[in-house]
Coordinates of all heavy atoms in Angstrom, one line a residue:
I14 N 29.5 163.2 106.4 CA 30.6 162.3 106.2 C 30.5 161.0 107.2 O 30.6 159.8 106.8 CB 32.0 162.9 106.3 CG1 32.2 163.9 105.2 CG2 33.1 161.9 106.4 CD1 33.4 164.9 105.3
L15 N 30.2 161.3 108.4 CA 30.0 160.3 109.4 C 28.7 159.4 109.1 O 28.9 158.2 109.2 CB 29.9 160.8 110.8 CG 31.0 161.5 111.4 CD1 30.7 162.2 112.7 CD2 32.2 160.5 111.6
L16 N 27.8 160.0 108.6 CA 26.6 159.3 108.1 C 26.9 158.3 107.0 O 26.5 157.1 107.0 CB 25.5 160.2 107.8 CG 24.0 159.7 107.8 CD1 23.6 159.2 109.1 CD2 23.1 160.8 107.3
A17 N 27.6 158.9 106.0 CA 28.0 158.0 104.8 C 28.9 156.9 105.2 O 28.8 155.7 104.8 CB 28.7 158.9 103.8
V18 N 29.9 157.1 106.2 CA 30.8 156.1 106.7 C 30.0 155.0 107.3 O 30.3 153.8 107.2 CB 31.9 156.7 107.5 CG1 32.7 155.6 108.3 CG2 32.8 157.5 106.7
G19 N 29.1 155.4 108.2 CA 28.2 154.5 108.9 C 27.4 153.6 107.9 O 27.3 152.4 108.2
M20 N 26.9 154.2 106.9 CA 26.2 153.5 105.9 C 27.0 152.5 105.1 O 26.5 151.3 104.9 CB 25.5 154.5 104.9 CG 24.4 153.8 104.1 SD 23.5 155.0 103.0 CE 22.9 156.2 104.2
V21 N 28.2 152.8 104.8 CA 29.1 151.9 104.2 C 29.5 150.8 105.1 O 29.5 149.6 104.7 CB 30.5 152.7 103.8 CG1 31.5 151.7 103.4 CG2 30.1 153.6 102.7
I22 N 29.6 151.0 106.4 CA 29.9 149.9 107.4 C 28.7 149.0 107.4 O 28.9 147.7 107.6 CB 30.3 150.5 108.7 CG1 31.6 151.3 108.7 CG2 30.4 149.4 109.8 CD1 32.0 152.0 109.9
V23 N 27.5 149.5 107.5 CA 26.4 148.6 107.5 C 26.3 147.7 106.3 O 26.0 146.6 106.3 CB 25.1 149.4 107.6 CG1 23.8 148.7 107.4 CG2 25.0 150.1 109.1
L24 N 26.5 148.4 105.1 CA 26.5 147.6 103.9 C 27.5 146.5 103.8 O 27.3 145.4 103.4 CB 26.7 148.6 102.7 CG 25.5 149.4 102.4 CD1 25.9 150.4 101.3 CD2 24.3 148.7 102.0
I25 N 28.8 146.8 104.4 CA 29.8 145.8 104.5 C 29.3 144.6 105.4 O 29.5 143.5 105.1 CB 31.1 146.4 105.1 CG1 31.7 147.3 104.0 CG2 32.1 145.3 105.5 CD1 32.9 148.1 104.5
G26 N 28.7 144.9 106.5 CA 28.1 144.0 107.4 C 27.0 143.1 106.7 O 27.1 141.8 106.9
F27 N 26.2 143.7 105.9 CA 25.2 142.9 105.1 C 25.8 142.0 104.0 O 25.4 140.9 103.8 CB 24.1 143.7 104.5 CG 23.1 144.2 105.5 CD1 22.9 145.5 105.7 CD2 22.3 143.3 106.2 CE1 21.9 146.0 106.6 CE2 21.4 143.7 107.0 CZ 21.1 145.1 107.3
V28 N 26.9 142.4 103.4 CA 27.6 141.7 102.5 C 28.3 140.5 103.1 O 28.3 139.4 102.6 CB 28.7 142.5 101.7 CG1 29.6 141.7 100.9 CG2 27.9 143.5 100.8
L29 N 28.9 140.7 104.3 CA 29.4 139.6 105.1 C 28.4 138.6 105.6 O 28.7 137.4 105.6 CB 30.2 140.2 106.3 CG 31.5 141.0 106.0 CD1 32.1 141.5 107.4 CD2 32.6 140.1 105.4
M30 N 27.2 139.0 105.8 CA 26.1 138.1 106.2 C 25.7 137.2 105.1 O 25.4 136.1 105.2 CB 25.0 138.9 106.7 CG 24.9 139.1 108.2 SD 23.4 139.6 108.7 CE 23.8 141.2 109.3
A31 N 25.8 137.8 103.8 CA 25.5 136.9 102.6 C 26.6 136.0 102.3 O 27.7 136.2 102.7 CB 25.2 137.9 101.4
G32 N 26.2 134.9 101.7 CA 27.2 133.9 101.3 C 27.0 132.5 101.8 O 26.3 132.4 102.8
G33 N 27.5 131.6 101.2 CA 27.3 130.2 101.5 C 25.8 129.9 101.3 O 25.0 130.2 102.1
E34 N 25.5 129.2 100.3 CA 24.1 128.9 100.0 C 23.9 127.4 100.0 O 24.7 126.6 99.5 CB 23.7 129.5 98.6 CG 24.6 129.0 97.5 CD 24.3 129.7 96.2 OE1 24.2 130.9 96.2 OE2 24.3 129.1 95.2
S35 N 22.7 127.1 100.5 CA 22.3 125.7 100.6 C 21.1 125.5 99.6 O 20.3 126.5 99.6 CB 21.9 125.2 101.9 OG 23.0 125.1 102.8
T36 N 21.0 124.6 98.9 CA 19.8 124.3 98.0 C 19.1 123.0 98.5 O 19.6 122.4 99.6 CB 20.3 124.1 96.5 OG1 21.2 123.0 96.6 CG2 21.0 125.3 96.1
D37 N 18.0 122.7 97.8 CA 17.3 121.5 98.3 C 18.1 120.2 98.1 O 17.9 119.2 98.8 CB 16.0 121.3 97.4 CG 15.1 122.4 97.7 OD1 15.1 123.0 98.8 OD2 14.3 122.8 96.9
T38 N 19.1 120.2 97.1 CA 19.9 119.0 96.9 C 21.3 119.0 97.6 O 21.9 118.0 97.7 CB 20.1 118.8 95.4 OG1 20.7 119.9 94.8 CG2 18.7 118.6 94.7
R39 N 21.7 120.2 98.0 CA 23.1 120.4 98.5 C 23.1 121.2 99.8 O 22.5 122.2 99.8 CB 24.0 121.0 97.5 CG 25.5 121.1 97.9 CD 26.4 121.7 96.7 NE 26.0 123.1 96.6 CZ 26.5 124.0 97.2 NH1 27.5 123.9 98.2 NH2 26.2 125.3 96.9
Y40 N 23.7 120.7 100.8 CA 23.8 121.4 102.1 C 25.2 122.0 102.2 O 26.2 121.3 102.1 CB 23.5 120.4 103.2 CG 23.9 121.0 104.6 CD1 23.0 122.0 105.1 CD2 24.9 120.6 105.3 CE1 23.2 122.6 106.4 CE2 25.2 121.2 106.5 CZ 24.4 122.1 107.1 OH 24.7 122.7 108.2
D41 N 25.2 123.3 102.5 CA 26.6 123.9 102.7 C 26.7 124.4 104.1 O 26.0 125.3 104.6 CB 26.7 125.2 101.8 CG 28.0 125.8 101.8 OD1 29.0 125.2 102.3 OD2 28.2 126.9 101.2
P42 N 27.6 123.7 104.9 CA 27.6 124.1 106.4 C 28.3 125.5 106.5 O 28.3 126.0 107.7 CB 28.5 123.0 107.0 CG 29.3 122.5 105.8 CD 28.4 122.6 104.6
E43 N 28.8 126.1 105.5 CA 29.4 127.4 105.5 C 28.5 128.6 106.0 O 28.9 129.6 106.6 CB 30.0 127.7 104.2 CG 30.8 129.1 104.2 CD 32.0 129.1 105.0 OE1 32.6 128.0 105.3 OE2 32.5 130.2 105.4
I44 N 27.1 128.3 105.9 CA 26.2 129.3 106.3 C 26.2 129.5 107.8 O 25.7 130.5 108.3 CB 24.8 129.0 105.8 CG1 24.3 127.7 106.3 CG2 24.7 128.9 104.3 CD1 22.8 127.3 106.1
F45 N 26.7 128.5 108.6 CA 26.7 128.6 110.0 C 28.2 129.0 110.6 O 28.5 128.7 111.6 CB 26.4 127.4 110.7 CG 25.0 127.0 110.3 CD1 24.6 125.9 109.5 CD2 23.9 127.8 110.8 CE1 23.3 125.6 109.3 CE2 22.6 127.4 110.5 CZ 22.3 126.4 109.7
S46 N 29.0 129.6 109.7 CA 30.3 130.0 110.1 C 30.3 131.2 111.0 O 29.3 131.9 111.1 CB 31.3 130.3 108.9 OG 30.8 131.5 108.3

Side-chain angles (χ1 to χ4, degrees):
I14 291 172
L15 290 173
L16 199 59
V18 168
M20 194 174 302
V21 168
I22 292 172
V23 170
L24 289 175
I25 289 170
F27 280 122
V28 168
L29 290 175
M30 271 192 242
E34 55 186 44
S35 290
T36 62
D37 292 336
T38 57
R39 185 176 65 87
Y40 171 72
D41 186 12
E43 182 65 24
I44 61 173
F45 297 112
S46 70

